[in-house]
Amino acid sequence: MLDTPIHLEYTFTPGIAQSRFLRGLAEGRFVGQRCPVCGKVYIPSRGSCPVDGVPTGEDVALSDTGIVTTYCVVNVPFAGQAIEIPYIAAQVLLDGANISFMGLIQGIPATDVRMGMRVQAVWVEPDELGPTLASVKYFTPTGEPDAPYETFEEYL
Amino acid sequence: MADRCAVIGVGQTHLKAKREDVSIPGLVREAAQRALADAELTFADIDAVVIGKAPDMFEGVMMPELSLAAALGAVGKPMMRVHTAGSVGGSTALVAAHLISSGIHRRVLTVAYEKQSDSDAMWALSVPQPFAAPLLAGAGGYFAPHIRAYMRRSGAPEHIGRMVAVKDRRNALKNPYAHLHLEDIDMKMVEESIMLWDPLRYLEACPSSDGAAAMVLAAADAVSGSYPPAWVHGMAMRSEPTMFAGRDQVNPQAGRDCAADVYRQAGITDPRADLDMAEVYVPFSWYEPMWLENLGFCPEGEGWKLTESGATALDGDIPWNASGGVLSSNPIGASGMLRFLEAAMQVRSQAGEHQVEGARRALGHAYGGGSQFFAMWVVGSDKP
Ligand SMILES: [Zn+2]
């Protein structure tokens, strides 16, 4: 077996909805989109609601606080890994959003993370902001009381 | 289904961490030749070939079906490629079966493979993208949070995952093709293995394997071979978006719908009672109780109780993964087909030491992607 390193550059075209999400990140804020039929707020929005099959035209500014719905602690090394192990990979549900996305949790020992824990985004320095989720360094606990399980059960 | 479809030949390679003695063409040809030998046929008897594997990026070989045509005797014949991520082995078998049941072909060779030693699946599944944080650590990193959600929702005690990990590895000791043959496997060994994706430990996860699986499918008037055929009693595929608000990631709707469809076709009203065994895609131990519920073998929230009772063990009333399952061998693209193939072997009474005595009706199941692709068939020894 011979390993031969290769290199591939590609241009990513995010489309209208994801462009708004990514531009929001470059300004240090979260922008989602609401479905006109079910009223659910998607982030990142792909531009349409997969349930109703209609465009999600309305932008919704979301706060950068939310909860951890569920999580795992990654302790496995692999090629191209961007974060030192062990790290906490959580599903973060922002306040006002109806779908979670994966976020890094820091500022708490891995053994203390909980489902329902309140967290807030920690952003990179203003001059480092860009159209990428790398603008969010991580989420960290706010210290508020945990959300009761019943309030986020439907997002699991 | 217009025409009845029969499985008349099955073949698999030994499943190993590294098959350095063969190339990818050699690997798929080995499985195909075994399936043809089982059906007592040659490549010349085959009308068409349907092939599947996990995404091309895994081995870095684009559209491998083109270069594999010669190895599979498909030059000048219709050849199709199927793509449904980890469920692809199951979907590939179903596409082949539809070519028979629709009356288009009389004998179809279907093949699925993965050569994980030529690839880096962890890397391929974890490539950074601008709209997501670079956190995803392979399939385990994706599924572990959903396993945690299942544990919370069902209140299942944590030893359930270890029980599945031990049961499937003990079954694998009876399967000469299985990758892992862990003679000393027990609950303690699983508990002491390293935590990879908390709450999932090393021995609660599937290995990384090289291997291929193949089947020869035939119309009722084209059955051959010494073993009786396995008849397809029902087949179904379903998918759902990976992300939508209100999606149940623990108990996906597409899985429930797919099971309901395949049971309806096969006349199954109580899968635990009506089936004799099941080969279900369980790459991480906790997916046994999760899929027991998703596939209707018990009420929601009680899958772990079925596992704990021993019902799914080889000597239980509804054995799951008598072959050792994905937990004992995971040549990704082939893993789904192996579930379908093992179900067929059981109802043909050709499973050897891991044969479930008297098995006449069995379920083969595969899922893939972020639990968004499902493929299932029910095969039986009776012609429907
Ligand atoms: Zn909607």
Side-chain angles (χ1 to χ4, degrees), chain A residues 42 46 70-71 73 75 87 149, chain B residues 135 145 148 196 198 243 245:
Chain A
Y42 279 87
R46 303 273 176 98
T70 186
Y71 66 95
V73 184
N75 192 33
Y87 62 84
Y149 179 65
Chain B
L135 296 172
R148 184 182 300 281
L196 292 184
D198 193 338
M243 284 186 281

Side-chain angles (χ1 to χ4, degrees), chain A residues 1 12 18 22 42 46 50-51 70-76 78-79 83 87 98-99 103-104 132-133 149 156, chain B residues 117-118 120 122-123 126 130-133 135-137 144-145 148 152-153 195-198 243-245 247 249:
Chain A
M1 181 77 63
F12 177 73
Q18 284 195 49
L22 294 170
Y42 279 87
R46 303 273 176 98
V51 176
T70 186
Y71 66 95
C72 76
V73 184
V74 176
N75 192 33
V76 54
F78 57 92
I83 302 160
Y87 62 84
N98 294 104
I99 195 158
L104 176 70
T132 159
L133 255 179
Y149 179 65
L156 294 171
Chain B
S117 68
D118 272 14
D120 190 336
M122 274 292 289
W123 167 83
S126 315
F131 49 85
L135 296 172
L136 193 59
R148 184 182 300 281
R152 172 68 187 258
R153 188 188 290 187
M195 191 67 93
L196 292 184
W197 303 275
D198 193 338
M243 284 186 281
F244 63 89
R247 179 170 189 227
Q249 299 239 52

Side-chain angles (χ1 to χ4, degrees), chain A residues 35-40 42 49-54 56:
Chain A
C35 169
V37 177
C38 65
K40 305 280 189 191
Y42 279 87
C49 173
V51 176
D52 298 300
V54 296
T56 48

Side-chain angles (χ1 to χ4, degrees), chain B residues 223-284:
Chain B
V223 167
S224 63
S226 304
Y227 277 100
W231 295 96
V232 178
H233 288 207
M235 49 180 168
M237 281 188 252
R238 287 289 187 286
S239 61
E240 67 181 38
T242 329
M243 284 186 281
F244 63 89
R247 179 170 189 227
D248 189 339
Q249 299 239 52
V250 172
N251 191 0
Q253 182 74 40
R256 282 180 282 163
D257 291 352
C258 190
D261 189 2
V262 82
Y263 295 157
R264 182 188 53 74
Q265 293 172 43
I268 287 168
T269 52
D270 177 350
R272 182 177 174 185
D274 297 345
L275 291 164
D276 298 310
M277 67 89 61
E279 281 283 337
V280 178
Y281 206 105
V282 176
F284 303 104

Side-chain angles (χ1 to χ4, degrees), chain A residues 24-102:
Chain A
L25 293 173
E27 295 165 4
R29 56 197 188 93
F30 288 114
V31 179
Q33 289 197 323
R34 191 189 316 275
C35 169
V37 177
C38 65
K40 305 280 189 191
V41 174
Y42 279 87
I43 183 162
S45 172
R46 303 273 176 98
S48 65
C49 173
V51 176
D52 298 300
V54 296
T56 48
E58 182 197 345
D59 288 357
V60 180
L62 294 166
S63 79
D64 64 358
T65 57
I67 61 163
V68 169
T69 58
T70 186
Y71 66 95
C72 76
V73 184
V74 176
N75 192 33
V76 54
F78 57 92
Q81 197 161 41
I83 302 160
E84 197 179 322
I85 57 169
Y87 62 84
I88 305 157
Q91 289 294 326
V92 174
L93 179 69
L94 293 180
D95 295 332
N98 294 104
I99 195 158
S100 62
F101 59 85
M102 202 171 255

Side-chain angles (χ1 to χ4, degrees), chain A residues 3-26:
Chain A
D3 283 340
T4 53
I6 55 167
H7 189 76
L8 181 67
E9 271 184 37
Y10 59 92
T11 304
F12 177 73
T13 307
I16 294 168
Q18 284 195 49
S19 292
R20 287 181 186 166
F21 169 71
L22 294 170
R23 287 190 186 118
L25 293 173

